[in-house]
RNA sequence: GGCCCCAUCGUCUAGCGGUCUAGGACACCGGCCUUUCACGCCGGUAACACGGGUUCGAGUCCCGUUGGGGUCACCA
């Protein structure tokens, strides 16, 4: 049997990090077994701009390297893969259920059902519809319709017996049929609902394994009922845990941003991203640009491999030590048996740790290309860049090393790209390192003159030069170096001083020192 | 509330009856290194929810309690 899995996004306009994790498990399982992974679009809820709402989702999957064999944009032998285009087929299948006596026309009004439901709840018993508006004959139908009622189609669920489900991650799960509801599968206007559509599609698309989040576990019985009623062969089910909020077991939701922002790690990741977005002129509303949404990471400059590797470990593990997985390795190692049962909290801090690891492995050439667009979007370098930009960025990247953890972090070193007379100083640092220490200005002036005449301007010789200067002056290195840093970069922190000097070059160093000195003394 | 699921450090997890005075990773806290920051190195705090069984022996099996979660739509 060919393994075929699917992920079924509804076009909401963004790709949720928890959804991706579930999609990843589907993708891995299919790849592992040489099968197919497909995307099916759950748009039975007629929406206006499906294409527009779908684009970011497809883009997210592409960015992450989760490719689909069949579905939107790639087609496939069992299409269309949009539920909205398959309505007629669902209606036909609903009719088959009706014909088989497994579904019925129901003329109850919504509030009449609701009353029964509330009564059951008040009596602390499980709800079971009385079926008092069930039409069992044409005469019944005519009578109800004469009352001005409209019919929906409901499932006629068994009222006794048990369903024993063999779930690939949960094992044996039992449900009493009597607890299941007579769910509506078709509206009065003929349109069909999700559960029917989903089951029909899984069958039509020859899905062998339904791997989905555990919130679907409790609606599996009704889907099994539909599938069996229609004579379908059942897929294998695997209900994987959902991704939970940082520090809690609640399901991660994009609607509770305010709450997540109270989590220090989440806030840190978010603030970092927002700052970068602002600098590159990205204007996206907070509800679609935050760490719950995949696009956030792409914009901020995370690496897809880092995210996928992190997500892999949210609910799955190979053993007690392996954390690092290339795509090939994860495809090779993945199995449903090792998927955890309990929900896993999303931890932005750990994601960042993976990001840092993957970033460290990227060579300078790739990193330069990766980082360049951020400088361009921030208006710090031209587009296309001038020919000296590449080497300069590469030099900064090398010097900054692991200080640059996401693509956007290059902007922490914006001072290398601003004009000498436009350099902004961190006021507190300027005060503390340059204005306040009595000897600072004098030392800086002296060292400026040394720099003006030193023969070589390479990091190694500059280091020797400074060390010699320190010795001659009988001072500690800290007395000059902090003042020098704020004069050259405007900042309190940065990478090695000698790299800083060398990258800036003699001319710009002198110009910046002179300017800082002027300002300090004015 | 009914039904269902789940339960090891703050977090992700290893553990499938003895090798567990419970291992790893992230985070956190010390220290070292150091021109700042970061990295790195060394060290540390920190968990089997509780109660009964079963067994020579239980984190591991069973039952219960508690706690957490999911789901009960003419949403997907």
């Amino acid at each position: 049997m060919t393994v075929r899995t699917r992920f079924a996004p509804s076009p909401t306009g963004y790709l949720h990090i928890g959804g991706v994790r579930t999609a990843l498990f589907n993708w891995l399982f299919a790849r592992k077994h040489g099968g197919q992974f497909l995307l099916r679009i759950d748009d039975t809820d007629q929406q206006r701009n499906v294409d527009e709402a779908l684009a970011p989702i497809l883009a997210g999957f592409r960015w992450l390297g989760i490719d689909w064999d069949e579905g939107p944009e790639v087609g496939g032998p069992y299409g269309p893969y949009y539920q909205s285009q398959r309505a007629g087929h669902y209606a036909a299948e609903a009719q088959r259920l009706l014909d088989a006596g497994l579904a019925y026309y129901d003329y109850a009004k919504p509030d009449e059902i609701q009353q029964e439901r509330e009564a059951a709840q008040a009596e602390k018993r499980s709800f079971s519809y009385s079926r008092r508006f069930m039409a069992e004959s044409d005469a019944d139908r005519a009578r109800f319709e004469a009352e001005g009622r409209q019919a929906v189609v409901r499932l006629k669920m068994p009222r006794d017996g048990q369903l024993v489900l063999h779930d690939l991650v949960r094992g044996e799960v039992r449900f009493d049929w009597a607890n299941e509801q007579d769910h509506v599968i078709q509206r009065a206007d003929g349109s069909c609902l999700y559960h029917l559509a989903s089951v029909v599609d899984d069958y039509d698309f020859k899905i062998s394994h339904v791997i989905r989040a555990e919130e679907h576990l409790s609606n599996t019985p009704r889907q099994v009922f539909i599938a069996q009623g229609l004579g379908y062969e059942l897929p294998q089910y695997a209900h994987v845990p959902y991704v939970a909020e940082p520090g809690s077991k609640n399901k991660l939701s994009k609607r509770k941003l305010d709450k997540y922002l109270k989590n220090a790690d989440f806030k840190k990741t978010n603030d970092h991203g927002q700052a970068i977005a602002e600098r590159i002129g990205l204007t996206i509303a907070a509800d679609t640009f935050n760490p719950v949404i995949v696009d956030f990471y792409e914009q901020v400059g995370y690496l897809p491999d880092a995210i996928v590797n992190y997500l892999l470990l949210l609910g799955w593990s190979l053993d007690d030590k392996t954390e690092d997985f290339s795509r090939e390795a994860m495809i090779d190692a993945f199995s449903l048996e090792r998927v955890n049962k309990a929900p896993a909290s999303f931890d932005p801090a750990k994601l960042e740790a993976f990001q840092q690891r993957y970033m460290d492995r990227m060579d300078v050439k790739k990193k330069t290309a990766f980082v360049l667009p951020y400088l361009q979007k921030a208006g710090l370098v031209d587009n296309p860049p001038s020919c000296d930009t590449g080497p300069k960025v590469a030099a900064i990247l090398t010097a900054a090393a692991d200080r640059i953890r996401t693509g956007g972090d290059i902007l922490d070193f914006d001072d290398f790209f601003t004009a000498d007379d436009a350099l902004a100083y961190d006021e507190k640092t300027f005060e503390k390192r340059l204005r306040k220490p009595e000897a600072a200005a004098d030392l800086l002036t002296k060292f400026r003159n040394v720099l003006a005449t030193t023969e070589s301007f390479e990091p190694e010789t500059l280091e020797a030069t400074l060390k010699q200067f320190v010795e001659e002056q009988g001072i500690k290195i800290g007395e000059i170096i902090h003042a020098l840093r704020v004069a050259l970069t405007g900042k309190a922190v940065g990478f090695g001083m000698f790299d800083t000097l060398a990258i800036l070059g003699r001319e710009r160093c002198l110009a910046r020192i002179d300017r800082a000195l002027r300002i300090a003394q004015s």
Side-chain angles (χ1 to χ4, degrees), chain A residues 106 143 206 425 453 520:
Chain A
D106 181 53
R143 180 165 51 86
K206 301 197 164 30
Y425 302 101
T453 57

Side-chain angles (χ1 to χ4, degrees), chain A residues 390-497:
Chain A
K392 183 174 167 186
V393 173
I396 292 168
L397 251 12
T398 303
D402 51 53
R403 293 170 184 81
I404 292 178
R405 296 181 180 180
T406 67
D409 285 345
I410 187 68
L411 300 175
D412 287 345
F413 302 94
D414 57 349
D415 43 280
F416 287 93
F417 301 92
T418 55
D420 298 332
D421 58 4
L423 188 68
Y425 302 101
D426 177 75
E427 268 313 316
K428 273 175 79 177
T429 306
F430 194 88
E431 186 67 25
K432 179 180 172 192
R433 300 299 193 187
L434 206 41
R435 228 188 292 265
K436 205 168 163 217
E438 280 176 27
D442 183 47
L443 284 170
L444 197 53
T445 307
K446 285 180 180 152
F447 189 62
R448 180 240 182 258
N449 293 332
V450 173
L451 285 178
T453 57
T454 184
E455 274 178 40
S456 158
F457 222 75
E458 295 301 310
E460 301 73 32
T461 50
L462 285 164
E463 177 164 9
T465 303
L466 184 78
K467 295 250 161 91
Q468 194 192 334
F469 176 79
V470 162
E471 203 171 311
E472 285 168 6
Q473 299 296 319
I475 56 170
K476 281 188 285 188
I477 197 166
E479 292 181 60
I480 175 73
I481 217 157
H482 297 297
L484 189 56
R485 184 183 298 283
V486 72
L488 292 177
T489 69
K491 299 184 171 96
V493 300
F495 51 73
M497 200 62 245

